Amino acid sequence: MTDVDAAPSARVRYRGRFAPSPTGPLHFGSLVAAVASYADALAAGGEWLLRIEDVDMPRSRPGAEAAILATLETLGFEWDGPVWRQSERVASYADALERLLAQRLVYPCACTRAERAHDRVGRIGERIYPGTCANGLAAERGTRPRAAMRVRTPATPVAFVDRRFGAIEQVLAADVGDFVVRRSDGLFAYQLAVVVDDAAQGITDVVRGADLLTSTPRQIFLQRALGLPTPRYLHVPVAIDAHGHKLSKQSGAAAIQRGALHSLIAAWHFLDQRTPDEHPARIGEFWTWARTNWRAARLPPALMLPAPALV
Ligand code: GLU
């Protein structure tokens, strides 16, 4: 499919998406993001797309994509159009990188992981790249085999309004530093891939976990550099375990049991949404309720919340 085919028709005022990484089966944390983005799209009478974020191929697990799709289907999610896969989109990312290169916004960086281990950790918990390679590779670095590509970040603030968290502002040069858009192993970075794909798929509304709130200014900066539109953003609380860690596929969070209506209801509760007096007996009934009763304004304005037990 070409990017143009995917552009929304003029009628489409809302197009959302769910973009799981296939690093394991769907767990409660990713279900929360899926429920929020799907309910927001349903309530808006919009479209909802599915994109498998397998740009980080070494982290992808065989069978994870099929397991995620099967669970989503069983839980009654219906997506519009074909499923996109980032592993099939590399040419578009390379094209975007060329456009950044043409503006001299990116430069090769040959720093090693060990060299970077001493970089200062900034306000948002990211290691801030000190700009070692920003003015060209020093002679001994130029001979290192593989360079990453970093984008030059501005010292002026990038601001946006999140639908739940309100006005957010970040100074990328101070809070993040020049960040990687293509890794030294040749793979494109999530930050670039997500920007290219959200635009190519005509996404108007991004609804996702609040762990990505601090990534959004990077993405908006890249959108502007590439002349791409900025979608609306709504970040929802991230589910954490008893140790305060985000539930994640890599850390082995329990997979959602297929067909488990109670998992949908648990996600709905987690998002502080109103439930009917009588719990729906069927998944179809749940979504009918969700379509008319989703209220983004009810979302807890928290970055993280404990996951309920036994989900
Ligand atoms: N692929 C990311 C994840 O699974 C989500 C990216 C996004 O929604 O922008 O955490």
Side-chain angles (χ1 to χ4, degrees):
M1 177 185 294
T2 65
D3 291 0
V4 174
D5 289 339
S9 63
R11 297 178 288 109
V12 177
R13 296 216 186 83
Y14 185 112
R15 183 178 273 173
R17 55 42 161 206
F18 177 51
S21 309
T23 49
L26 201 73
H27 58 78
F28 183 73
S30 36
L31 179 64
V32 164
V35 167
S37 68
Y38 189 48
D40 200 58
L42 284 179
E47 297 179 346
W48 189 71
L49 276 51
L50 191 56
R51 180 169 77 228
I52 299 295
E53 297 213 317
D54 55 356
V55 69
D56 188 351
M57 292 165 219
R59 272 184 52 217
S60 300
R61 294 276 163 277
E65 174 189 327
I68 292 171
L69 297 188
T71 306
L72 289 174
E73 254 173 53
T74 317
L75 293 176
F77 290 88
E78 288 175 11
W79 50 91
D80 293 290
V83 175
W84 278 35
R85 282 174 202 89
Q86 291 190 323
S87 51
E88 295 164 3
R89 303 260 317 134
V90 172
S92 298
Y93 310 147
D95 186 60
L97 182 66
E98 283 301 319
R99 277 148 60 205
L100 296 174
L101 266 169
Q103 299 176 63
R104 298 182 197 285
L105 268 176
V106 287
Y107 60 85
C109 163
C111 293
T112 61
R113 199 180 278 260
E115 283 166 344
R116 296 238 28 233
H118 305 291
D119 293 351
R120 185 171 63 83
V121 176
R123 185 175 76 96
I124 60 162
E126 300 271 344
R127 278 191 194 286
I128 299 173
Y129 183 63
T132 318
C133 299
N135 299 314
L137 297 181
E140 88 288 353
R141 281 165 190 265
T143 59
R144 290 183 184 172
R146 290 179 307 188
M149 295 300 256
R150 287 185 186 273
V151 64
R152 289 180 207 281
T153 48
T156 45
V158 175
F160 74 102
V161 178
D162 180 86
R163 287 170 53 199
R164 188 69 192 104
F165 289 91
I168 306 276
E169 196 175 282
Q170 227 180 55
V171 176
L172 291 177
D175 295 337
V176 183
D178 297 350
F179 61 91
V180 170
V181 285
R182 199 188 64 200
R183 303 174 356 180
S184 61
D185 59 7
L187 293 176
F188 288 94
Y190 156 72
Q191 304 290 1
L192 182 68
V194 75
V195 160
V196 170
D197 287 346
D198 281 340
Q201 291 192 289
I203 301 301
T204 63
D205 287 80
V206 171
V207 180
R208 62 184 178 189
D211 53 325
L212 292 166
L213 194 59
T214 54
S215 283
T216 307
R218 265 170 274 183
Q219 295 172 16
I220 292 175
F221 162 66
L222 287 176
Q223 287 155 4
R224 291 177 183 163
L226 292 165
L228 302 173
T230 293
R232 287 178 289 259
Y233 286 96
L234 171 63
H235 288 87
V236 303
V238 166
I240 51 172
D241 64 19
H243 308 288
H245 299 135
K246 178 188 162 195
L247 302 189
S248 74
K249 296 167 200 135
Q250 296 102 289
S251 68
I256 295 294
Q257 293 200 347
R258 292 179 53 182
L261 176 61
H262 80 265
S263 297
L264 282 177
I265 294 172
W268 194 247
H269 273 298
F270 180 87
L271 293 163
D272 236 350
Q273 299 298 302
R274 216 157 53 80
T275 39
D277 296 336
E278 248 174 73
H279 271 186
R282 269 192 282 267
I283 282 172
E285 287 167 26
F286 169 81
W287 287 118
T288 304
W289 169 269
R291 180 191 297 272
T292 46
N293 289 281
W294 168 255
R295 298 285 180 274
R298 285 183 64 101
L299 287 168
L303 293 173
M304 302 176 226
L305 288 173
L310 299 176
V311 288

